[in-house]
Amino acid sequence: MLHNFDKVIDRRGSACVKWDALPPFEEAVDTSDVIPMWVADMDFEVAPCISNAVAERALNPVYGYNIVPPECREAVCSWLSSRHSFDIDPSWLLFTTGVVPAMSAVIRAMTHPGEKVVIFTPAYNCFFRTIRNNGCEVAECPLVYADRSYTIDFDLFERICSDPACTLLLFCNPHNPAGRVWTPEELLKVGEICRRHSVQLVSDEIHCEIVMPGHHYTPFASLSEQLSHECITMNSYSKAFNAAGLKLAYIISDNPLWRSRIARAIDVMEIGGTNPFGQLALRAAYTDEGAEWLDQLNRYIHGNYVLMTEIFEKRLPQFPLCRLEGTYLAWFDCSALGDMPSVEIEKSLLLNEKVWVNNGTMYGKDGFMRVNLAAPRALVSEGLRRLADGLNRLLSERG
């Protein structure tokens, strides 16, 4: 079955963050004609298997408390095994309302206030906030930027991990916002360094299903039995299947003591209640029908990325676009604008060209911008046209 990702859905007025939220600027902004290319939320219809499952359940007019049924655990296990060669036991799973709440519960369970949590920067903005909200310090390990891509400085990473105060690594695989799909060799090196310095390894793998041609996502914990014992994984079907509003994510650990501690943190934080629609959506997504939809989605997003590379090569050669290996989030270099802060670039583009993209400062890297490509091509094309107009305007204004 062919799916129509070109279909434009009018989301304005539906109380969605992407289209209805107001930007955090003092100036009043009329967002009625803004093209939002910021928050990591897709503008595609969900897979029919998901909408059908949710609609069928909605016919039962009682939406009360529910348990996580065994079928939900079995669906996760089957999907990870068949699609990613990652075999887990259903008992290793804990469920919660989202990957960010899961992250907070894991940090609370596995660290003590005042300890340091290592992250590779630039990093997903919630990493900074969640670490600090749980009383820990952020220990940044900057990635190496060269040739429109990022790599890990393993010597620097080892020095940082050698600090006894560093007790946990919060990893992103694939990486948001750098767009890297880490290789097994890179993952093994990270794991070896964590092991040498007794740094707990926690991997956020929510972007794992969006991978560009020629690249292959490897679950961190799948590389060896030892890494399986040493890694806590956080994941969800929601990012790839555009169902974040249904609030369901899962944590994987084969260590019963760690699971007990994390479960206790979930209980204390009261973030364990899931809803029946999220559970049915997960079970529908993790099927052959969901896989077929997902494969087509990946090809479509890659087409949007190809369009962006062509526009940047033709109209924005001064702004290097990082090679996108995974996620639907493109990342580009704005150093051609000199010392103009990324926040000001974001504001200027929004106020003048009516296109909203994310500033790099929120990810710990000024001088870069992040663009969401998960939308129908007509919207992406118009948004990129506005982006090119705006960046060239700023170049001209700065002489």
Side-chain angles (χ1 to χ4, degrees):
M1 176 182 178
L2 290 177
H3 300 283
N4 183 13
F5 294 101
D6 284 325
K7 183 178 180 180
V8 176
I9 310 297
D10 184 5
R11 301 181 67 193
R12 283 195 172 93
S14 64
C16 73
V17 170
K18 187 176 185 181
W19 288 84
D20 291 330
L22 295 175
F25 303 138
E26 293 181 1
E27 297 91 337
V29 180
D30 178 8
T31 60
S32 62
D33 57 350
V34 166
I35 293 183
M37 305 179 80
W38 62 295
V39 65
D41 180 80
M42 298 197 291
D43 287 316
F44 306 119
E45 289 183 326
V46 297
C49 56
I50 293 177
S51 55
N52 291 340
V54 170
E56 182 178 354
R57 174 60 181 85
L59 294 176
N60 182 326
V62 179
Y63 308 146
Y65 298 119
N66 60 279
I67 61 171
V68 177
E71 292 84 357
C72 219
R73 298 177 182 275
E74 292 163 5
V76 173
C77 295
S78 176
W79 177 267
L80 293 177
S81 179
S82 63
R83 194 166 181 92
H84 302 300
S85 301
F86 183 24
D87 295 318
I88 67 170
D89 188 276
S91 66
W92 298 356
L93 290 164
L94 295 170
F95 289 87
T96 184
T97 53
V99 162
V100 173
M103 184 191 315
S104 187
V106 170
I107 293 173
R108 176 175 292 209
M110 305 305 294
T111 66
H112 294 95
E115 294 179 348
K116 297 179 181 179
V117 175
V118 185
I119 59 174
F120 291 109
T121 52
Y124 176 41
N125 54 299
C126 286
F127 279 17
F128 297 92
R129 184 185 68 205
T130 303
I131 291 167
R132 291 167 179 148
N133 282 350
N134 283 282
C136 293
E137 297 181 26
V138 175
E140 294 189 35
C141 183
L143 295 169
V144 179
Y145 173 62
D147 191 27
R148 298 191 299 116
S149 188
Y150 284 87
T151 54
I152 297 170
D153 183 338
F154 288 104
D155 291 335
L156 174 61
F157 178 51
E158 179 125 34
R159 290 197 297 275
I160 291 171
C161 288
S162 67
D163 179 352
C166 290
T167 60
L168 187 144
L169 167 69
L170 185 54
F171 194 69
C172 196
N173 175 39
H175 192 277
N176 170 22
R180 278 299 315 278
V181 175
W182 304 109
T183 66
E185 292 76 19
E186 289 171 312
L187 297 176
L188 285 170
K189 285 184 180 179
V190 169
E192 290 168 1
I193 291 172
C194 287
R195 185 179 308 118
R196 275 199 294 272
H197 300 284
S198 299
V199 172
Q200 174 63 59
L201 204 162
V202 178
S203 188
D204 170 5
E205 306 195 353
I206 194 172
H207 290 277
C208 69
E209 306 296 350
I210 310 298
V211 178
M212 299 298 101
H215 299 278
H216 178 75
Y217 152 74
T218 303
F220 215 139
S222 72
L223 284 168
S224 69
E225 187 174 346
Q226 185 171 27
L227 270 177
S228 177
H229 296 332
E230 297 170 353
C231 181
I232 296 169
T233 303
M234 305 173 299
N235 207 341
S236 176
Y237 77 102
S238 64
K239 188 66 66 178
F241 288 94
N242 201 26
L246 296 182
K247 299 295 182 184
L248 184 66
Y250 51 88
I251 301 165
I252 306 170
S253 172
D254 69 0
N255 186 312
L257 176 59
W258 293 351
R259 285 200 308 275
S260 176
R261 289 163 60 180
I262 297 168
R264 174 59 180 158
I266 289 172
D267 186 51
V268 169
M269 298 166 68
E270 299 177 335
I271 54 172
T274 62
N275 72 75
F277 298 103
Q279 295 175 15
L280 286 169
L282 179 149
R283 290 163 57 186
Y286 285 173
T287 60
D288 291 342
E289 289 182 69
E292 178 188 55
W293 182 91
L294 182 61
D295 291 339
Q296 293 182 39
L297 171 75
N298 271 287
R299 290 193 290 271
Y300 193 89
I301 290 173
H302 180 252
N304 283 349
Y305 168 64
V306 170
L307 174 64
M308 187 173 185
T309 61
E310 292 170 350
I311 290 173
F312 268 59
E313 288 171 0
K314 182 178 180 179
R315 297 196 58 197
L316 298 166
Q318 305 94 329
F319 297 85
L321 175 64
C322 284
R323 290 191 296 278
L324 186 64
E325 299 177 358
T327 81
Y328 50 72
L329 305 165
W331 181 250
F332 68 91
D333 185 345
C334 290
S335 56
L337 296 176
D339 60 356
M340 185 176 186
S342 297
V343 174
E344 293 303 314
I345 298 172
E346 175 185 348
K347 182 187 297 186
S348 181
L349 293 170
L350 179 60
L351 294 175
N352 292 280
E353 281 72 32
K354 301 296 184 177
V355 60
W356 191 355
V357 296
N358 283 127
N359 71 81
T361 305
M362 65 192 296
Y363 308 104
K365 188 66 176 177
D366 198 14
F368 285 76
M369 305 295 287
R370 195 188 80 166
V371 180
N372 181 346
L373 293 174
R377 195 149 297 146
L379 288 175
V380 170
S381 180
E382 174 61 17
L384 292 175
R385 183 195 66 77
R386 296 184 188 188
L387 180 63
D389 288 348
L391 292 172
N392 279 312
R393 172 183 56 80
L394 289 172
L395 273 178
S396 176
E397 290 173 357
R398 296 179 69 82

